[in-house]
Amino acid sequence: MTKSRGQAGADGREPEEAAGAGAADTTAPADPVPGPPAFAPDSLVLNRKLPLWYQVSQSLRASILGRPQGSPARLPTEEQLAAHYGVSVLTMRQALKELETEGLISRHRRRGTFIEPRARRVSPVRLLGSVDAIVAQQSGEATTVLDHGTVPVPGDLAEFFPQRTEVACFRRLRRDGGSDEPTNWAENAVLPEIAARIDVADLERWPMTKVLRDVVGVRISRITDTVEARLADPVTAELLQVPLLSPILHYTGVTYDEEGQVVDVARIRYRGDRFAFSVTVEAH
């Protein structure tokens, strides 16, 4: 994983941010040649306790991977993106470098920055403490909603829904957009009153976390994640097209609202040959 090139300050800002969010960039890149309209990324509320370049790269990554078909492939200029996210050009440049290293974008002097048609096949499960990182990890793959409906609270989830007898369950299968190969499948247990406000079509475009936060309007306070190695059960083996009892990564994400109530428990099974788990700990 690419790490920050400089140690962030105590407030989580990059060195140039601490000196002033509006610090001028002394290197003036050549203006890109005028072209078609640029891709418009989603907005982002910055958390000053986390590295800004990382938050921006993850937010932009989620926007790129979750973009509708037919969206422009050309990104705005560094200056325009920096203004959009409210960071310095140097921070924006570091965020773009992260996405370039990952293979999501390519940069061409005087022509601009462009979204690559396909991302790299191996996708790391990357966690650094922001909701946008979770959204980015779950974005960008062709998603099919297998089924949804109200079910009794599963026994292994009873601790998360102590006052409930039923939850809404959504099951989704994700595929590699280029090869149509299954990569992971997910089950979400959601409070019924919140599930009633979810448009199933949105779940075929965006991850559940993004739908809950940005569409339904749930004020998410935190997400607790657990990743462990397991063996593929018969359902997982069939859906992911892997041998029975082959290794998989089993992810559990518990989403809490501002009142501390659990609103969603996600259980995602990732193919073990396609994903790796890594965590970056920033020293402040």
Side-chain angles (χ1 to χ4, degrees):
M1 176 180 296
T2 305
K3 296 188 179 180
S4 174
R5 295 178 181 173
Q7 185 177 8
D11 59 358
R13 294 181 292 173
E14 301 299 315
E16 72 276 10
E17 300 295 337
D25 178 25
T26 58
T27 303
D31 292 332
V33 175
F39 172 71
D42 294 340
S43 59
L44 169 67
V45 177
L46 291 169
N47 181 343
R48 294 287 166 173
K49 295 182 179 180
L50 294 172
L52 300 185
W53 69 268
Y54 177 81
Q55 296 178 73
V56 170
S57 70
Q58 292 299 293
S59 178
L60 184 54
R61 181 182 190 274
S63 296
I64 289 172
L65 294 178
R67 71 192 187 282
Q69 282 190 333
S71 297
R74 184 170 175 263
L75 292 183
T77 65
E78 289 179 347
E79 291 79 7
Q80 290 168 335
L81 285 170
H84 174 79
Y85 286 113
V87 298
S88 75
V89 173
L90 291 178
T91 292
M92 193 66 238
R93 191 168 296 162
Q94 188 171 2
L96 290 172
K97 180 63 176 176
E98 174 80 359
L99 298 183
E100 184 180 25
T101 300
E102 188 178 340
L104 277 178
I105 62 174
S106 59
R107 313 184 71 194
H108 308 274
R109 183 170 178 79
R110 297 196 62 82
R111 290 182 52 219
T113 301
F114 296 86
I115 300 171
E116 285 293 302
R118 288 190 59 192
R120 292 182 178 176
R121 290 194 58 184
V122 177
S123 302
V125 179
R126 309 174 64 172
L127 306 175
L128 191 59
S130 75
V131 172
D132 285 286
I134 305 240
V135 171
Q137 169 59 36
Q138 298 172 2
S139 296
E141 295 171 306
T143 302
T144 301
V145 177
L146 300 174
D147 53 59
H148 62 94
T150 302
V151 300
V153 175
D156 58 341
L157 300 185
E159 63 177 300
F160 302 114
F161 303 103
Q163 307 301 322
R164 305 288 181 139
T165 58
E166 294 183 326
V167 291
C169 180
F170 298 84
R171 301 199 325 157
R172 294 163 295 141
L173 178 67
R174 299 190 184 103
R175 294 182 174 88
D176 184 300
S179 67
D180 203 38
E181 179 184 55
T183 59
N184 64 87
W185 78 280
E187 287 181 298
N188 288 82
V190 183
L191 291 178
E193 61 269 27
I194 292 177
R197 295 151 55 194
I198 294 176
D199 186 337
V200 174
D202 286 337
L203 292 177
E204 295 188 343
R205 178 182 176 188
W206 294 312
M208 177 66 80
T209 304
K210 183 175 179 66
V211 171
L212 290 175
R213 185 188 65 177
D214 299 342
V215 180
V216 177
V218 175
R219 300 180 67 85
I220 296 174
S221 64
R222 72 184 189 278
I223 300 176
T224 301
D225 301 298
T226 303
V227 180
E228 57 186 315
R230 288 193 182 179
L231 301 179
D233 56 53
V235 173
T236 296
E238 180 180 0
L239 288 175
L240 299 187
Q241 298 177 13
V242 298
L244 183 65
L245 302 182
S246 61
I248 62 167
L249 282 179
H250 188 283
Y251 163 91
T252 302
V254 184
T255 301
Y256 298 81
D257 64 14
E258 288 187 328
E259 284 71 46
Q261 176 181 232
V262 174
V263 296
D264 170 45
V265 178
R267 291 178 291 182
I268 308 176
R269 290 82 164 176
Y270 293 94
R271 282 182 56 148
D273 60 342
R274 290 289 305 277
F275 291 88
F277 172 72
S278 70
V279 175
T280 292
V281 177
E282 295 287 341
H284 298 297

